[in-house]
Amino acid sequence: MELSNHFISIKKSPILFFTTKPPFSTKALTKPFDSHSPKLTSPAHSLQLETLKTLEWSSLCNQLTPFTSTSMGQSITRNAKIPIGKSKEESQKLLDQTAAALAVMESGPLDFSGIEDITRILDSAISGTLLTVGELCAVRRTLRAARTVLERLKDSGDCSERIAMRVFDNGCGLVYDQCGWNKCMKKLVHSSSTLLLDHPLVCAFAGRCKSSKVFGKDMYAPLLEILQNCSFQIELEKKVGFCIDCNLSKILDRASEDLEIIRSERKRNMENLDRLLKGISARIFQAGGIDKPLVTKRRSRLCVGVRASHRYLIPDGVVLNVSSSGVTYFMEPGEAVELNNLEVMLSDSEKAEEIAILSLLTSEIAESARDIKYMLDGIIEVDLSFARAAYAYWMNGARPIWTSEGCGGISSSGGDYLLSIDIEGIQHPLLHGTSRKHRSNILGSNSLNSMEVDEDSMLDTGKPSKNVSEFPVPINIKVECGTRVVVISGPNTGGKTASMKTLGVASLMSKAGLYLPAKNTPKLPWFDFVLADIGDHQSLEQNLSTFSGHISRICKILEVASNESLVLIDEICSGTDPSEGVALSTSILHCLRDHVNLAVVTTHYADLSLLKDKDSRFENAAMEFSLETLQPTYQILWGCTGDSNALSIAKSIGFDSNIIERARKWVEKLVPEKQQERSGMLYQSLLEERNRLEAQARKAASVHTEIMELYHEIQAEAEDLDGRVKALMAKETQLVQLELKAANSQIETVVQNFENQLRKASPDQFNSLIKKSESAIASIVEAHCSSDSLPASETDTSSYTPQLGEQVLVKRLGNKLATVVEAPHDDETVLVQYGKIRVRMKKSDIRAIKSDKKSKATILVPSLKRQVKQSFSELNKDEEVSHGPRVQTSKNTVDLRGMRVEEAAQHLNMAISAIEPLSVIFVVHGMGTGAVKECALEVLGKHPRVAKYEPESPMNFGCTVAYIK
């Protein structure tokens, strides 16, 4: 069987089944998904599996299942067999693949819909089982879909290279995307046309990564490398498509030359046979031998129906069957015997030819099975990369970077860090996932889907909803360089075990290429083993007590751990005599100090916290506990030692006070020189100082936020001025054109009337008609000429003194019209207002407007002038008190219009009490009957926080400005 130009020719049609072993070895390919660590010995492997079970790794892997796109990927995540890097390089490669998948997702999701798990089909082909038409079509669909995935990745890489820089004449560049993925990203001040591939904005656009990454074709290289050596069997896909119509699940005539001939002959034979039997059946019907003509098939042969009483109408016929009632015979006429024989022969030949074609395609798939399986492994790896990326997107994850032995991080910046572990605001991923589901239920079906994030939040680090409490509580994990053992103390249910588990899970996630649910950029070392002893290992079957099981597990950990391992031990050496437990714990910690990268242990033994004083490689940490609420805060205090607070907790739940007091005396006897009391007082003072500093930091951040909001509001108003001027000029131009058109129309009417009258008038009336027409035209021109337009000449600026409320021309603003809001000072400066912007200008930069009619703004009531001058003079007297900027915004404005007097008084009192000290508040009371205004002035005059207030401004009637102490 060989592929020709148009047919698969089958000269000899053998049935190609493999009855012996396959023609090649089907050894599994080297893309395992179940290895979790470097090559493990049997004890190490079993200990690592126990650690994964303790850290609930399978539950975390199950969180990835909804984000996978193929059934193979779902199977891997459900069985917790996602790949974990065996070395730092492999883990880095997994992280790069996740980052590349995030970048591809910016242009839309990758389509894996056509990819099926055809492993069983390939195994059947290898074993020699004939594949069906449906199975062959499944192979073809998978090959085509896999090739589409590769093409999409290549297109994404090519398209990313078209990001360019356009340079404007004013030196401002605009980064834009020629592919149309997003709108313009950001204006950048740049003087050259160099491609800004490493600019942070471009990096943020490339993917929701929180670390800088070069944006270009290299970003997609980690994904392209997975599939670059895969064979997508294009010829095999074309061959299956040439031979089989997958929509109809049918082998096509063109599959082979012999099949086309057989089907053609069979078609002609069936037409002849059908025509013959229909003619015979019609004659039988006409002779009354049947109710209606009947041609049917019995025993794989075509025949006609006839009544038993009229079987003589087919004298040479053969009875093939009889109806159940015996009334109807199904007979094959003698003329149809030869044609039926030919039909049976051709049908058998067609089936044999189809089996031969299926055999050929099955053998070719078996020969290519190894390459197809390798390609499937690559597709699974790509699917898992996109699942990790979608998971990172869903939880707003941050990409971790590695710190080396010298605490230098592997990052593009190349900087060194003082911490070997620096993870800020991390949440346990299992608790984080539960919290997100809970929040989704609270928000309801109208809220955004977890994968539908607003475009503006692409660069945001993620903030919890104001309506939903932050759970789980994020913690900070900070371990200094050179630290080998961290001893965590603190009360029960304070979060020691959960914090330790969070560190272990974070280490495994980073090794597996997963982003962490943390803030900023997490930094941690790469650990070859993560070994944990958490929980009760009591075993009746192995005759182990709690302490025995605990010590047995630690013994195995000491045998397996290396100088690159992370060891987590919960409640070290608990469950035995305290003195012996402390001694054994100290010895174990000294051993871990010399043999592992980092060991984190929790304990209630206060003596273990003293190891730090003798060896700098030890570090202490404590879980924070609020003595006011007697509840844990779940925060880690690094460098501190924690108290168990057992006596305080016992007292809070109503324990007998005599027992508590007796226990306190015993504690004082056990701890020499009241060392515990002093450490507790010091601990409390440190907590108070930390809380005070945090409050100051929050206040400073709040002030900074308000200033920035005010700045952006003013900036937006300033940027809008040019647009408003252009719109006004366009409107004025349009009005002028309309007036000109109207004037022309009126003049044409006058001229037309003049010509009509001229034809009828006598010569002595010509002069009067001319004068009358000229007078009409002059009146039209005069009516459309502006009498109060801007003058051509300017007044002498040296002797000119602008007046309060007067409209003037400001040279620095491009000769724009502005209003004088403050009388000139001795320093020759004038405060003017342009739109919503107030600015102080030099007197020499201000020119008067020459016009016949004064602007309404210059015609002010003298009494109002005196009030304004008086208010400004009072303000100048108090210049030493620095209030906030006198700029009216929505936040410092209280609108009392439309309220009743009592409601207005209450509303104003609340607003004054809530505003920040040394602020300015604008009270809008309107004109009206004056009742609300009188109420507002009375409240402002009596309120203790009001330093002073100004009456209504000539430029802002109905508004009173108050200054808050």
Side-chain angles (χ1 to χ4, degrees), residues 20-75:
T20 59
K21 65 180 181 179
F24 59 87
S25 173
T26 58
K27 186 178 179 181
L29 301 175
T30 58
K31 280 183 183 272
F33 291 95
D34 55 350
S35 9
H36 301 290
S37 56
K39 190 173 181 180
L40 303 176
T41 58
S42 180
H45 181 67
S46 110
L47 189 59
Q48 185 72 347
L49 292 179
E50 290 178 9
T51 298
L52 294 176
K53 183 178 179 180
T54 300
L55 297 179
E56 300 177 84
W57 180 248
S58 59
S59 298
L60 189 141
C61 292
N62 285 334
Q63 284 190 338
L64 286 174
T65 302
F67 302 104
T68 55
S69 301
T70 65
S71 59
M72 299 170 286
Q74 292 176 0
S75 175

Side-chain angles (χ1 to χ4, degrees), residues 249-266:
S249 298
K250 174 185 176 182
I251 299 177
L252 298 173
D253 296 349
R254 65 187 183 188
S256 73
E257 187 176 1
D258 292 343
L259 181 62
E260 186 177 42
I261 295 172
I262 292 171
R263 286 183 174 175
S264 177
E265 289 294 331
R266 186 181 179 190

